[in-house]
Amino acid sequence: MDGTETMMHTELHAAMLEAVNQEMRLVLSSAGLDPYDGLEELLADHLGWSNDGQPLSQGKRIRPLMVLLTTAACGTDWRWALPAAASVELLHNFSLIHDDIQDQSALRRGRETLWSKVGTALAINAGDAMFNLAFIALTRLSETVPSEITLDAIRILQRACIRLTGGQHLDIAYERADSLPLASYWPMIEGKTAALLAASAQLGALVGGAGPEQQQAYYQFGFNLGLAFQVWDDCLGIWGDPAVTGKSAASDLLTGKKTLPVLHGLERGGPFAQRWKGGPISEADVEEVAALLAAEGSREYSEQEAHRLTRIALESLDQANPKGEAGERLRALSLSLLDRTH
């Protein structure tokens, strides 16, 4: 890719992100939150609009980009899909607000999490508001596409919501389990992470006018990319640099998260498994325990799984036959997820 092509891709990326932000701001400003002093400010702060200078404060916006790039790759103006893009990002942020509470996470994107700033009760309420704003955003699709497509989009996102909360249920329930088979990991992340990325790709294809087979190919692309994304995130959650990721690399081990590296290490039954079963891991133990886990081959295994799932995702993308610059960007976005350090 030469310099001109890189600039074109950067400009498209920036234009889409700015348009998504504008769409979300429009949804918040028109939702009638004015009488509820402070609520809109809490939501805006969580979305990274507080101008605190943190480069990661708004997140990577992967899901709305997936919607818009998929629509464009189908040969349709990506702006038609902006309500759907805003919707999936608002829904994602609803899940983050509640996830941070459930995990008692103090940091996200290098900033204090909402519950740690304002307390659990207000943060839960803000997350509930964000959930409903996501569907208010989605109904705005009726301004750009036929009403039957809007209804189909609502159904797609509702199904994704059920899978999302189901995956989170397993994630929380697994923390109390002494041991789990490695196979139990996959239904958890299929719901927790893959479902919304799959829905994002399918929504983009739906708005883009794709037929059922092409929609399914895009769905499988997003689904397998979501699996790869979560596996890689599990690796960063143990061996990532907190200065880069914006959150502690100790948190997954401290909270007993049954991530893929952990389940792989437990299944090996070696020194890591013995230490894990010996009692809670303290801050002082994290570095040693992470080293034990790496020595079991669990880091290498997990990274290989992330690469394998990305290859499967790209095969589905090829089947979807994306067009033009947006199609190139979808492939580049997929590959960049395995190059990320945050």
Side-chain angles (χ1 to χ4, degrees), residues 84-97:
S87 179
V88 297
E89 185 62 15
L90 289 166
L91 186 68
H92 173 58
N93 277 276
F94 139 74
S95 73
L96 296 183
I97 292 173

PDB file of all heavy atoms in Angstrom, residues 84-97:
ATOM      1  N   ALA A  84     -27.446   2.556  12.658  1.00  0.00           N
ATOM      2  CA  ALA A  84     -27.073   1.224  13.136  1.00  0.00           C
ATOM      3  C   ALA A  84     -25.686   1.245  13.770  1.00  0.00           C
ATOM      4  O   ALA A  84     -25.439   0.582  14.789  1.00  0.00           O
ATOM      5  CB  ALA A  84     -27.113   0.217  11.986  1.00  0.00           C
ATOM      6  N   ALA A  85     -24.768   2.006  13.181  1.00  0.00           N
ATOM      7  CA  ALA A  85     -23.417   2.107  13.736  1.00  0.00           C
ATOM      8  C   ALA A  85     -23.437   2.746  15.120  1.00  0.00           C
ATOM      9  O   ALA A  85     -22.768   2.282  16.047  1.00  0.00           O
ATOM     10  CB  ALA A  85     -22.532   2.921  12.786  1.00  0.00           C
ATOM     11  N   ALA A  86     -24.203   3.828  15.260  1.00  0.00           N
ATOM     12  CA  ALA A  86     -24.332   4.476  16.569  1.00  0.00           C
ATOM     13  C   ALA A  86     -24.970   3.529  17.575  1.00  0.00           C
ATOM     14  O   ALA A  86     -24.579   3.473  18.753  1.00  0.00           O
ATOM     15  CB  ALA A  86     -25.163   5.750  16.441  1.00  0.00           C
ATOM     16  N   SER A  87     -25.935   2.755  17.115  1.00  0.00           N
ATOM     17  CA  SER A  87     -26.648   1.842  17.995  1.00  0.00           C
ATOM     18  C   SER A  87     -25.722   0.782  18.581  1.00  0.00           C
ATOM     19  O   SER A  87     -25.737   0.535  19.794  1.00  0.00           O
ATOM     20  CB  SER A  87     -27.794   1.174  17.226  1.00  0.00           C
ATOM     21  OG  SER A  87     -28.482   0.263  18.047  1.00  0.00           O
ATOM     22  N   VAL A  88     -24.898   0.143  17.732  1.00  0.00           N
ATOM     23  CA  VAL A  88     -24.038  -0.923  18.256  1.00  0.00           C
ATOM     24  C   VAL A  88     -22.974  -0.352  19.193  1.00  0.00           C
ATOM     25  O   VAL A  88     -22.580  -1.013  20.170  1.00  0.00           O
ATOM     26  CB  VAL A  88     -23.381  -1.748  17.132  1.00  0.00           C
ATOM     27  CG1 VAL A  88     -24.444  -2.464  16.310  1.00  0.00           C
ATOM     28  CG2 VAL A  88     -22.472  -0.924  16.245  1.00  0.00           C
ATOM     29  N   GLU A  89     -22.528   0.878  18.939  1.00  0.00           N
ATOM     30  CA  GLU A  89     -21.533   1.467  19.843  1.00  0.00           C
ATOM     31  C   GLU A  89     -22.152   1.835  21.190  1.00  0.00           C
ATOM     32  O   GLU A  89     -21.536   1.637  22.237  1.00  0.00           O
ATOM     33  CB  GLU A  89     -20.891   2.700  19.207  1.00  0.00           C
ATOM     34  CG  GLU A  89     -19.766   3.312  20.023  1.00  0.00           C
ATOM     35  CD  GLU A  89     -18.568   2.379  20.234  1.00  0.00           C
ATOM     36  OE1 GLU A  89     -18.454   1.358  19.521  1.00  0.00           O
ATOM     37  OE2 GLU A  89     -17.744   2.682  21.121  1.00  0.00           O
ATOM     38  N   LEU A  90     -23.371   2.344  21.176  1.00  0.00           N
ATOM     39  CA  LEU A  90     -24.060   2.634  22.437  1.00  0.00           C
ATOM     40  C   LEU A  90     -24.341   1.346  23.208  1.00  0.00           C
ATOM     41  O   LEU A  90     -24.181   1.302  24.436  1.00  0.00           O
ATOM     42  CB  LEU A  90     -25.364   3.384  22.151  1.00  0.00           C
ATOM     43  CG  LEU A  90     -25.197   4.829  21.664  1.00  0.00           C
ATOM     44  CD1 LEU A  90     -26.514   5.357  21.098  1.00  0.00           C
ATOM     45  CD2 LEU A  90     -24.699   5.729  22.785  1.00  0.00           C
ATOM     46  N   LEU A  91     -24.745   0.306  22.496  1.00  0.00           N
ATOM     47  CA  LEU A  91     -24.999  -0.975  23.161  1.00  0.00           C
ATOM     48  C   LEU A  91     -23.709  -1.542  23.755  1.00  0.00           C
ATOM     49  O   LEU A  91     -23.699  -2.045  24.886  1.00  0.00           O
ATOM     50  CB  LEU A  91     -25.602  -1.969  22.170  1.00  0.00           C
ATOM     51  CG  LEU A  91     -26.045  -3.291  22.788  1.00  0.00           C
ATOM     52  CD1 LEU A  91     -27.230  -3.092  23.716  1.00  0.00           C
ATOM     53  CD2 LEU A  91     -26.391  -4.301  21.706  1.00  0.00           C
ATOM     54  N   HIS A  92     -22.625  -1.456  23.002  1.00  0.00           N
ATOM     55  CA  HIS A  92     -21.331  -1.913  23.508  1.00  0.00           C
ATOM     56  C   HIS A  92     -20.958  -1.171  24.781  1.00  0.00           C
ATOM     57  O   HIS A  92     -20.491  -1.775  25.758  1.00  0.00           O
ATOM     58  CB  HIS A  92     -20.271  -1.710  22.425  1.00  0.00           C
ATOM     59  CG  HIS A  92     -18.877  -1.994  22.868  1.00  0.00           C
ATOM     60  ND1 HIS A  92     -18.481  -3.209  23.384  1.00  0.00           N
ATOM     61  CD2 HIS A  92     -17.760  -1.210  22.873  1.00  0.00           C
ATOM     62  CE1 HIS A  92     -17.196  -3.168  23.683  1.00  0.00           C
ATOM     63  NE2 HIS A  92     -16.738  -1.967  23.395  1.00  0.00           N
ATOM     64  N   ASN A  93     -21.189   0.133  24.800  1.00  0.00           N
ATOM     65  CA  ASN A  93     -20.821   0.915  25.978  1.00  0.00           C
ATOM     66  C   ASN A  93     -21.735   0.649  27.162  1.00  0.00           C
ATOM     67  O   ASN A  93     -21.290   0.724  28.309  1.00  0.00           O
ATOM     68  CB  ASN A  93     -20.789   2.406  25.620  1.00  0.00           C
ATOM     69  CG  ASN A  93     -19.477   2.792  24.976  1.00  0.00           C
ATOM     70  OD1 ASN A  93     -18.492   3.075  25.654  1.00  0.00           O
ATOM     71  ND2 ASN A  93     -19.439   2.794  23.652  1.00  0.00           N
ATOM     72  N   PHE A  94     -22.996   0.331  26.905  1.00  0.00           N
ATOM     73  CA  PHE A  94     -23.861  -0.152  27.991  1.00  0.00           C
ATOM     74  C   PHE A  94     -23.230  -1.373  28.649  1.00  0.00           C
ATOM     75  O   PHE A  94     -23.153  -1.473  29.884  1.00  0.00           O
ATOM     76  CB  PHE A  94     -25.250  -0.505  27.440  1.00  0.00           C
ATOM     77  CG  PHE A  94     -25.838  -1.767  28.005  1.00  0.00           C
ATOM     78  CD1 PHE A  94     -26.342  -1.806  29.297  1.00  0.00           C
ATOM     79  CD2 PHE A  94     -25.868  -2.940  27.246  1.00  0.00           C
ATOM     80  CE1 PHE A  94     -26.870  -2.977  29.826  1.00  0.00           C
ATOM     81  CE2 PHE A  94     -26.395  -4.106  27.763  1.00  0.00           C
ATOM     82  CZ  PHE A  94     -26.898  -4.125  29.057  1.00  0.00           C
ATOM     83  N   SER A  95     -22.761  -2.318  27.819  1.00  0.00           N
ATOM     84  CA  SER A  95     -22.195  -3.554  28.368  1.00  0.00           C
ATOM     85  C   SER A  95     -20.908  -3.267  29.140  1.00  0.00           C
ATOM     86  O   SER A  95     -20.632  -3.927  30.147  1.00  0.00           O
ATOM     87  CB  SER A  95     -21.937  -4.565  27.247  1.00  0.00           C
ATOM     88  OG  SER A  95     -20.826  -4.205  26.450  1.00  0.00           O
ATOM     89  N   LEU A  96     -20.124  -2.287  28.700  1.00  0.00           N
ATOM     90  CA  LEU A  96     -18.888  -1.951  29.402  1.00  0.00           C
ATOM     91  C   LEU A  96     -19.166  -1.348  30.778  1.00  0.00           C
ATOM     92  O   LEU A  96     -18.473  -1.659  31.751  1.00  0.00           O
ATOM     93  CB  LEU A  96     -18.055  -0.969  28.570  1.00  0.00           C
ATOM     94  CG  LEU A  96     -17.535  -1.457  27.225  1.00  0.00           C
ATOM     95  CD1 LEU A  96     -16.658  -0.381  26.574  1.00  0.00           C
ATOM     96  CD2 LEU A  96     -16.770  -2.766  27.359  1.00  0.00           C
ATOM     97  N   ILE A  97     -20.165  -0.479  30.862  1.00  0.00           N
ATOM     98  CA  ILE A  97     -20.507   0.137  32.150  1.00  0.00           C
ATOM     99  C   ILE A  97     -20.873  -0.945  33.158  1.00  0.00           C
ATOM    100  O   ILE A  97     -20.380  -0.955  34.298  1.00  0.00           O
ATOM    101  CB  ILE A  97     -21.664   1.136  31.987  1.00  0.00           C
ATOM    102  CG1 ILE A  97     -21.210   2.354  31.182  1.00  0.00           C
ATOM    103  CG2 ILE A  97     -22.179   1.588  33.361  1.00  0.00           C
ATOM    104  CD1 ILE A  97     -22.340   3.320  30.825  1.00  0.00           C
TER     105      ILE A  97
END
